[in-house]
Coordinates of all heavy atoms in Angstrom, one line a residue:
D19 N -20.4 6.2 -7.1 CA -19.9 5.2 -8.1 C -19.0 4.2 -7.4 O -17.9 4.6 -7.0 CB -19.1 6.0 -9.2 CG -18.6 5.1 -10.3 OD1 -18.3 4.0 -10.1 OD2 -18.5 5.7 -11.5
I20 N -19.5 3.0 -7.3 CA -18.8 2.0 -6.6 C -17.4 1.7 -7.1 O -16.4 1.5 -6.3 CB -19.6 0.6 -6.5 CG1 -21.0 0.9 -5.9 CG2 -18.9 -0.4 -5.6 CD1 -21.0 1.5 -4.5
K21 N -17.3 1.6 -8.4 CA -16.0 1.3 -9.0 C -15.0 2.4 -8.7 O -13.8 2.1 -8.3 CB -16.2 1.1 -10.5 CG -14.9 0.7 -11.2 CD -15.2 0.4 -12.7 CE -13.9 0.0 -13.4 NZ -14.1 -0.3 -14.9
K22 N -15.4 3.6 -8.8 CA -14.5 4.8 -8.6 C -14.2 4.8 -7.1 O -13.0 5.1 -6.7 CB -15.2 6.1 -9.0 CG -14.3 7.3 -8.8 CD -15.1 8.5 -9.3 CE -14.2 9.8 -9.1 NZ -14.9 11.0 -9.6
L23 N -15.1 4.5 -6.2 CA -14.9 4.4 -4.8 C -13.8 3.4 -4.4 O -12.9 3.7 -3.6 CB -16.2 4.1 -4.0 CG -16.1 3.9 -2.5 CD1 -15.6 5.2 -1.8 CD2 -17.4 3.4 -1.9
K24 N -13.9 2.2 -5.0 CA -13.0 1.2 -4.7 C -11.5 1.6 -5.1 O -10.6 1.4 -4.4 CB -13.4 -0.1 -5.5 CG -14.6 -0.8 -4.9 CD -14.9 -2.1 -5.7 CE -16.1 -2.8 -5.1 NZ -16.4 -4.0 -5.9
I25 N -11.4 2.2 -6.3 CA -10.1 2.7 -6.8 C -9.5 3.7 -5.8 O -8.4 3.7 -5.5 CB -10.3 3.3 -8.2 CG1 -10.6 2.1 -9.2 CG2 -9.0 4.0 -8.6 CD1 -11.0 2.6 -10.6
N26 N -10.4 4.7 -5.5 CA -9.9 5.8 -4.5 C -9.6 5.2 -3.2 O -8.6 5.7 -2.6 CB -11.0 6.8 -4.4 CG -11.2 7.7 -5.7 OD1 -10.3 7.7 -6.5 ND2 -12.3 8.2 -5.9
Y27 N -10.4 4.3 -2.7 CA -10.1 3.7 -1.4 C -8.8 2.9 -1.4 O -7.9 3.0 -0.5 CB -11.2 2.7 -0.9 CG -10.8 1.8 0.2 CD1 -10.6 2.4 1.5 CD2 -10.5 0.5 0.0 CE1 -10.1 1.6 2.5 CE2 -10.1 -0.3 1.0 CZ -9.9 0.2 2.3 OH -9.4 -0.6 3.3
L28 N -8.6 2.0 -2.4 CA -7.3 1.2 -2.5 C -6.1 2.1 -2.6 O -5.1 1.8 -2.0 CB -7.4 0.3 -3.7 CG -8.4 -0.9 -3.5 CD1 -8.6 -1.6 -4.8 CD2 -8.0 -1.8 -2.4
K29 N -6.2 3.3 -3.3 CA -5.1 4.2 -3.4 C -4.8 4.8 -2.0 O -3.6 4.9 -1.6 CB -5.4 5.3 -4.4 CG -5.3 4.9 -5.8 CD -5.6 6.2 -6.7 CE -5.6 5.8 -8.2 NZ -6.0 7.0 -9.0
L30 N -5.9 5.2 -1.3 CA -5.7 5.7 0.1 C -5.2 4.7 1.1 O -4.3 5.0 1.9 CB -7.0 6.4 0.5 CG -6.9 7.1 1.9 CD1 -5.9 8.2 1.8 CD2 -8.3 7.6 2.2
E31 N -5.7 3.5 1.0 CA -5.2 2.5 1.9 C -3.7 2.2 1.7 O -3.0 2.2 2.7 CB -6.0 1.1 1.6 CG -5.6 0.0 2.6 CD -6.1 -1.3 2.1 OE1 -6.0 -1.6 0.9 OE2 -6.5 -2.1 3.0
K32 N -3.3 2.1 0.4 CA -1.9 2.0 0.1 C -1.1 3.1 0.6 O 0.0 3.0 1.3 CB -1.7 1.8 -1.4 CG -0.2 1.5 -1.8 CD -0.1 1.3 -3.2 CE 1.4 1.0 -3.6 NZ 1.5 0.7 -5.1
K33 N -1.5 4.4 0.4 CA -0.8 5.6 0.9 C -0.7 5.6 2.4 O 0.4 5.9 2.9 CB -1.6 6.8 0.4 CG -0.9 8.1 0.7 CD -1.6 9.3 0.2 CE -0.9 10.6 0.5 NZ -1.6 11.8 -0.1
F34 N -1.8 5.2 3.1 CA -1.7 5.2 4.6 C -0.7 4.2 5.1 O 0.2 4.6 5.9 CB -3.1 4.8 5.1 CG -3.1 4.6 6.6 CD1 -3.1 5.7 7.4 CD2 -3.2 3.3 7.1 CE1 -3.2 5.5 8.8 CE2 -3.2 3.1 8.5 CZ -3.2 4.2 9.3
H35 N -0.7 3.0 4.6 CA 0.3 2.0 5.1 C 1.7 2.3 4.7 O 2.6 2.1 5.4 CB -0.2 0.6 4.7 CG -1.4 0.2 5.5 ND1 -1.4 -0.3 6.8 CD2 -2.7 0.1 5.1 CE1 -2.6 -0.6 7.2 NE2 -3.4 -0.3 6.2
I36 N 1.9 2.7 3.4 CA 3.2 3.1 2.9 C 3.8 4.3 3.7 O 5.0 4.3 3.9 CB 3.2 3.3 1.4 CG1 3.0 2.0 0.7 CG2 4.5 4.0 1.0 CD1 4.1 1.0 0.8
S37 N 2.9 5.2 4.1 CA 3.4 6.3 4.9 C 4.1 5.8 6.2 O 5.0 6.5 6.7 CB 2.3 7.3 5.2 OG 1.4 6.8 6.2
L38 N 3.6 4.7 6.7 CA 4.2 4.1 7.9 C 5.5 3.5 7.5 O 6.6 3.7 8.1 CB 3.3 3.1 8.5 CG 1.9 3.5 9.1 CD1 1.2 2.3 9.6 CD2 2.1 4.5 10.2
I39 N 5.5 2.6 6.5 CA 6.6 1.8 6.1 C 7.8 2.7 5.7 O 9.0 2.4 6.0 CB 6.3 0.9 4.9 CG1 5.1 0.0 5.2 CG2 7.5 0.0 4.5 CD1 5.3 -0.8 6.5
N40 N 7.5 3.8 5.0 CA 8.6 4.7 4.6 C 9.4 5.3 5.7 O 10.6 5.7 5.5 CB 8.0 5.9 3.7 CG 7.7 5.4 2.4 OD1 8.1 4.4 1.9 ND2 6.8 6.2 1.7
N41 N 8.9 5.3 6.9 CA 9.6 5.8 8.1 C 10.8 4.9 8.4 O 11.8 5.4 9.1 CB 8.7 5.8 9.3 CG 7.6 6.9 9.2 OD1 7.9 8.0 8.9 ND2 6.4 6.5 9.4
L42 N 10.8 3.7 7.9 CA 12.0 2.8 8.2 C 13.2 3.2 7.4 O 14.3 2.8 7.7 CB 11.6 1.4 8.0 CG 10.5 0.8 8.9 CD1 10.0 -0.6 8.4 CD2 11.0 0.7 10.3
K43 N 12.9 3.9 6.3 CA 14.0 4.3 5.3 C 14.9 3.1 4.9 O 16.1 3.1 5.0 CB 14.9 5.4 6.0 CG 14.1 6.6 6.4 CD 15.0 7.7 6.8 CE 14.2 8.9 7.4 NZ 13.3 9.5 6.4
N44 N 14.1 2.0 4.6 CA 14.8 0.8 4.2 C 14.2 0.2 2.9 O 13.1 -0.3 3.0 CB 14.7 -0.3 5.4 CG 15.5 -1.5 5.1 OD1 15.5 -2.1 4.1 ND2 16.1 -2.0 6.2
D45 N 14.9 0.4 1.8 CA 14.4 0.0 0.5 C 14.1 -1.5 0.4 O 13.1 -1.9 -0.2 CB 15.3 0.4 -0.6 CG 15.4 1.9 -0.8 OD1 14.5 2.6 -0.3 OD2 16.4 2.4 -1.3
Y46 N 14.9 -2.3 1.1 CA 14.7 -3.8 1.1 C 13.4 -4.1 1.7 O 12.6 -4.9 1.2 CB 15.8 -4.5 1.8 CG 15.6 -6.0 1.8 CD1 15.9 -6.7 0.6 CD2 15.3 -6.6 2.9 CE1 15.7 -8.1 0.6 CE2 15.1 -8.0 2.9 CZ 15.3 -8.7 1.8 OH 15.1 -10.1 1.8
I47 N 13.1 -3.5 2.9 CA 11.8 -3.8 3.6 C 10.6 -3.3 2.8 O 9.6 -4.0 2.7 CB 11.8 -3.1 5.0 CG1 12.8 -3.8 5.9 CG2 10.4 -3.2 5.6 CD1 12.9 -3.2 7.3
V48 N 10.7 -2.2 2.2 CA 9.6 -1.7 1.3 C 9.4 -2.6 0.2 O 8.2 -2.9 -0.1 CB 10.0 -0.3 0.7 CG1 9.0 0.2 -0.3 CG2 10.1 0.8 1.8
K49 N 10.4 -3.2 -0.4 CA 10.3 -4.1 -1.5 C 9.6 -5.4 -1.0 O 8.6 -5.9 -1.7 CB 11.6 -4.5 -2.1 CG 11.6 -5.4 -3.3 CD 13.0 -5.6 -3.9 CE 13.0 -6.5 -5.1 NZ 14.4 -6.7 -5.6
V50 N 10.0 -5.9 0.1 CA 9.4 -7.2 0.7 C 7.9 -6.9 1.0 O 7.0 -7.7 0.8 CB 10.1 -7.6 1.9 CG1 9.4 -8.7 2.7 CG2 11.5 -8.1 1.6
Y51 N 7.7 -5.7 1.6 CA 6.3 -5.3 2.0 C 5.4 -5.2 0.8 O 4.3 -5.8 0.8 CB 6.3 -4.0 2.8 CG 4.9 -3.5 3.2 CD1 4.4 -4.0 4.4 CD2 4.2 -2.7 2.4 CE1 3.2 -3.6 4.8 CE2 2.9 -2.3 2.8 CZ 2.4 -2.7 4.0 OH 1.2 -2.3 4.4
N52 N 5.9 -4.6 -0.2 CA 5.0 -4.4 -1.5 C 4.7 -5.7 -2.1 O 3.6 -6.0 -2.6 CB 5.8 -3.5 -2.4 CG 5.7 -2.0 -2.1 OD1 4.8 -1.6 -1.3 ND2 6.6 -1.2 -2.5
S53 N 5.7 -6.7 -2.1 CA 5.5 -8.0 -2.7 C 4.5 -8.8 -1.9 O 3.6 -9.4 -2.5 CB 6.9 -8.7 -2.7 OG 6.7 -10.1 -3.2
T54 N 4.5 -8.6 -0.6 CA 3.6 -9.3 0.3 C 2.1 -8.8 0.1 O 1.2 -9.5 -0.1 CB 3.9 -9.1 1.8 OG1 5.2 -9.6 2.0 CG2 2.9 -9.8 2.7
Q55 N 2.1 -7.4 0.0 CA 0.8 -6.8 -0.3 C 0.2 -7.2 -1.6 O -1.0 -7.4 -1.8 CB 0.9 -5.3 -0.3 CG 0.6 -4.7 1.1 CD -0.8 -5.0 1.6 OE1 -1.0 -6.0 2.3 NE2 -1.8 -4.3 1.1
E56 N 1.0 -7.3 -2.6 CA 0.6 -7.7 -4.0 C 0.0 -9.1 -3.9 O -1.0 -9.4 -4.6 CB 1.7 -7.6 -5.0 CG 1.3 -7.8 -6.4 CD 2.4 -7.4 -7.4 OE1 3.5 -7.8 -7.2 OE2 2.1 -6.8 -8.4
M57 N 0.6 -10.0 -3.2 CA 0.1 -11.4 -3.1 C -1.2 -11.4 -2.4 O -2.1 -12.2 -2.8 CB 1.2 -12.3 -2.4 CG 0.7 -13.8 -2.4 SD 2.0 -14.9 -1.9 CE 2.9 -15.1 -3.4
I58 N -1.3 -10.6 -1.4 CA -2.6 -10.5 -0.7 C -3.7 -10.0 -1.6 O -4.8 -10.6 -1.7 CB -2.5 -9.5 0.5 CG1 -1.7 -10.2 1.6 CG2 -3.9 -9.2 1.1 CD1 -1.4 -9.2 2.8
S59 N -3.4 -9.0 -2.4 CA -4.4 -8.4 -3.4 C -4.8 -9.5 -4.4 O -6.0 -9.6 -4.8 CB -3.7 -7.2 -4.1 OG -3.5 -6.2 -3.2

């Protein structure tokens, strides 16, 4: 199911990259990163 696959992939993609960003333990950077990602999306 392509629609379901896209949803599952986008969730995993976000989880993968956020798992990296969270290592910085910096809420401000996480906020900037999320905003940038949203504009890309």
Side-chain angles (χ1 to χ4, degrees):
D19 181 329
I20 304 300
K21 187 176 180 180
K22 185 177 179 182
L23 172 63
K24 287 180 180 179
I25 291 170
N26 290 336
Y27 165 71
L28 290 171
K29 283 181 181 177
L30 184 57
E31 183 191 42
K32 183 176 181 179
K33 184 176 182 179
F34 172 76
H35 289 281
I36 288 296
S37 74
L38 297 178
I39 305 304
N40 285 341
N41 291 310
L42 295 172
K43 302 186 187 306
N44 186 316
D45 292 340
Y46 180 74
I47 289 178
V48 171
K49 187 177 179 180
V50 170
Y51 180 86
N52 285 336
S53 178
T54 302
Q55 265 304 95
E56 190 170 42
M57 185 167 277
I58 290 172
S59 297

